[in-house]
Amino acid sequence: AGSAPLQVLGQTFPTDAWTNLTPSIASKTDRKLHLIPGHPLGILKQLIFDQFPGYAYLDTLPPVVTTEANFDSLLIPTDHPSRSRHDAYYLNATTMLRSHTSAHQLEVLRDHGHRAFLVAADVYRRDEIDASHYPVFHQMEGVRAFSPTERADGTIQREIAAMQETIRRAGVTATEDNLVGQSDRAALQPEHTGQADEVYPVIDHLKTSLNYWVAGIFGRMARYHEATGRPDLAERLGTTDRIPVRWIEGNFPFTTPSWEMEVLYQGAWLEICGCGIMKQKIMDDAGLQDHIGWAAGFGLERLAMVLFDIPDIRLFWSEDPRFLEQFRPGTITQFAPFSKYPPCPKDISFWVPTLLASAGSDAATETGFHENDLMDLVREIAQDLVEDVKLVDRFAHPKTGQTSLCYRIVYRSMDRSVTNEEINELQERVRTRVAEQLGVTLR
Ligand code: PHE
């Protein structure tokens, strides 16, 4: 509170007690990785756009949004954990960096007037630090809203048949190993009572669209491996012509019914997409009372790491030509890692004041210390030299009631050797700032 205004993308925002956006995160807003045609995220985005002709593509919507757009417009309750200052980046109490592309659902339906669209964008969430978590990542949102006419004149059924025919001709199918035919048993919104016969086809359209998407993306990779003489890599998908998918019942405040779609990859089910039938209230707010729509959202990094064989999420942010020169627009190729530099682990231990020293409880609850504050502090100082931060030890002092936490910070550069002095200097700065800012006592 009382600090200087914040600058993001050339705009100035007043700060207040909610402000928690750090300069290093703010500086990521102008990288726009998904707009670089030869970047894996740009390549993947374009391949997906190309699969859905007839949809509007929006990939330049600015990341600063209102809390109203990010949460309220989606009926996310005021006590929902995703609103926490520990989980989202706030410029101030009413302005934030979007935490998901769903923030644009209402705006695009109501103000842009699109009924079928894809949004690709950078999204921001405070999170742990490891090889698959980064506070900035990219999502794609798909929305399709059907008018009463389209629901009556066979449009939905024709589109479903066309998508099925396309993947059949490509020789790839997504097969549902689970919950087959359960669309007709899913609980619908009260608003859709009496309209079941119109909602089920929309559910079928949603599932077919996502099967078609997965078959296209994973099938393309399988054919690539075969063409380049690496059938062993193609094998890892299971078989090249059959991409197993399944639908798990999901729960989102803005869709009912909801699912999480999973794809079988290397013997494990990979959760890749959240989706469902849009809440009718959102349609009403968009002025589309008589439309019924589906929405789906998924993260691009998780998919790109699998498809391009990228082992560490920090690589997406690398400006090293040895990374960027390996990729070409229009194709999914496997990343050949350049030399791996040695990791440099450093431990930091401190006492946190505990009111109730209950063993095994969440460090955040009783102590006022929150792990994500440590994560952001380390990122701020070490930038992309930090690879992993994990709690490795925790115990409560039997007499004082204080809790001791030990975190292991692993430093490692992706593109150069670092000196011991350089890392020691970073670790010293981390220690000083932890003591100053987190209300803890270093051991
Ligand atoms: N916005 C959700 C997320 O980030 C994903 C989602 C999008 C779910 C659209 C349902 C419909 O997890």
Side-chain angles (χ1 to χ4, degrees):
S3 56
L6 261 174
Q7 288 266 118
V8 180
L9 293 169
Q11 257 193 293
T12 307
F13 299 88
T15 55
D16 61 23
W18 274 82
T19 308
N20 65 359
L21 178 59
T22 60
S24 80
I25 300 298
S27 75
K28 302 288 193 219
T29 54
D30 54 20
R31 292 288 300 278
K32 303 177 177 140
L33 301 180
H34 61 293
L35 298 184
I36 303 171
H39 189 282
L41 296 172
I43 296 170
L44 182 56
K45 177 206 72 176
Q46 196 56 50
L47 287 173
I48 300 170
F49 280 1
D50 291 347
Q51 278 187 281
F52 291 92
Y55 282 64
Y57 313 125
L58 299 102
D59 57 9
T60 58
L61 297 170
V64 177
V65 300
T66 59
T67 51
E68 157 78 32
N70 199 83
F71 299 122
D72 304 86
S73 79
L74 293 160
L75 318 173
I76 296 175
T78 47
D79 60 354
H80 197 272
S82 63
R83 292 189 185 243
S84 161
R85 287 181 71 243
H86 297 302
D87 291 320
Y89 288 106
Y90 287 89
L91 285 78
N92 54 49
T94 55
T95 319
M96 62 187 294
L97 296 182
R98 70 186 148 221
S99 64
H100 56 172
T101 43
S102 302
H104 298 292
Q105 281 185 10
L106 176 61
E107 168 198 356
V108 176
L109 283 172
R110 185 192 55 201
D111 306 336
H112 298 239
H114 298 304
R115 305 289 173 257
F117 61 85
L118 298 171
V119 172
D122 42 331
V123 301
Y124 299 77
R125 287 185 204 174
R126 302 185 70 192
D127 216 330
E128 57 202 276
I129 297 181
D130 65 27
S132 61
H133 289 89
Y134 200 83
V136 191
F137 61 103
H138 296 76
Q139 279 190 328
M140 195 180 283
E141 192 90 0
V143 168
R144 185 67 196 273
F146 292 101
S147 68
T149 311
E150 289 171 313
R151 298 201 300 274
D153 70 1
T155 299
I156 297 182
Q157 290 73 13
R158 269 195 305 280
E159 289 191 14
I160 289 175
M163 285 188 278
Q164 284 170 341
E165 174 61 12
T166 303
I167 55 183
R168 194 192 60 75
R169 272 208 316 273
V172 185
T173 52
T175 60
E176 303 188 5
D177 277 18
N178 193 4
L179 299 182
V180 182
Q182 293 232 336
S183 344
D184 52 344
R185 268 181 280 150
L188 303 182
Q189 297 168 39
E191 287 83 347
H192 290 152
T193 307
Q195 278 185 295
D197 290 350
E198 294 186 68
V199 178
Y200 297 139
V202 179
I203 294 178
D204 285 341
H205 191 280
L206 162 63
K207 291 188 168 183
T208 306
S209 300
L210 295 182
N211 285 341
Y212 163 84
W213 162 59
V214 161
I217 290 298
F218 281 79
R220 179 187 294 267
M221 179 169 65
R223 287 196 302 282
Y224 166 80
H225 287 312
E226 286 186 330
T228 54
R230 293 294 304 274
D232 56 318
L233 293 177
E235 264 308 297
R236 295 196 324 207
L237 289 169
T239 59
T240 56
D241 58 354
R242 185 175 163 276
I243 315 297
V245 304
R246 68 179 184 185
W247 306 86
I248 309 296
E249 211 180 305
N251 182 20
F252 302 101
F254 34 96
T255 50
T256 298
S258 307
W259 294 272
E260 276 161 19
M261 184 204 207
E262 300 187 341
V263 175
L264 188 63
Y265 178 74
Q266 293 185 356
W269 288 100
L270 191 70
E271 185 196 314
I272 57 168
C273 178
C275 60
I277 299 298
M278 291 178 70
K279 284 275 176 74
Q280 207 54 38
K281 166 85 166 71
I282 302 174
M283 288 295 162
D284 296 352
D285 291 345
L288 298 171
Q289 288 80 353
D290 58 358
H291 282 57
I292 298 176
W294 59 252
F298 50 91
L300 289 174
E301 270 83 349
R302 179 166 328 173
L303 210 54
M305 287 176 81
V306 164
L307 296 173
F308 294 86
D309 237 350
I310 294 172
D312 190 308
I313 196 165
R314 288 176 298 164
L315 281 162
F316 291 110
W317 299 89
S318 172
E319 292 175 285
D320 191 322
R322 287 175 300 172
F323 176 73
L324 291 169
E325 283 172 2
Q326 293 198 26
F327 306 102
R328 261 173 310 118
T331 38
I332 293 171
T333 54
Q334 267 45 58
F335 173 62
F338 34 92
S339 47
K340 189 132 180 166
Y341 297 90
C344 181
K346 299 276 175 194
D347 289 355
I348 179 168
S349 303
F350 44 82
W351 293 107
V352 294
T354 316
L355 306 174
L356 286 162
S358 52
S361 64
D362 180 350
T365 46
E366 318 94 347
T367 63
F369 165 78
H370 198 288
E371 203 170 83
N372 282 350
D373 290 334
L374 175 68
M375 300 294 169
D376 270 327
L377 189 155
V378 176
R379 288 255 190 232
E380 199 58 31
I381 292 169
Q383 309 277 331
D384 284 356
L385 286 179
V386 58
E387 176 175 273
D388 196 273
V389 179
K390 283 260 171 334
L391 182 65
V392 290
D393 189 42
R394 160 193 181 92
F395 70 91
H397 193 287
K399 297 213 182 77
T400 66
Q402 283 196 316
T403 298
S404 168
L405 302 179
C406 177
Y407 281 90
R408 180 154 302 152
I409 304 174
V410 178
Y411 299 93
R412 188 208 302 257
S413 169
M414 292 174 298
D415 41 33
R416 63 185 178 88
S417 322
V418 287
T419 63
N420 218 355
E421 293 77 60
E422 188 180 354
I423 299 303
N424 283 336
E425 202 248 314
L426 288 177
Q427 179 72 358
E428 258 326 297
R429 279 165 59 202
V430 167
R431 288 178 61 84
T432 307
R433 292 270 296 276
V434 164
E436 284 171 4
Q437 292 180 10
L438 301 188
V440 305
T441 310
L442 293 180
R443 299 188 57 196

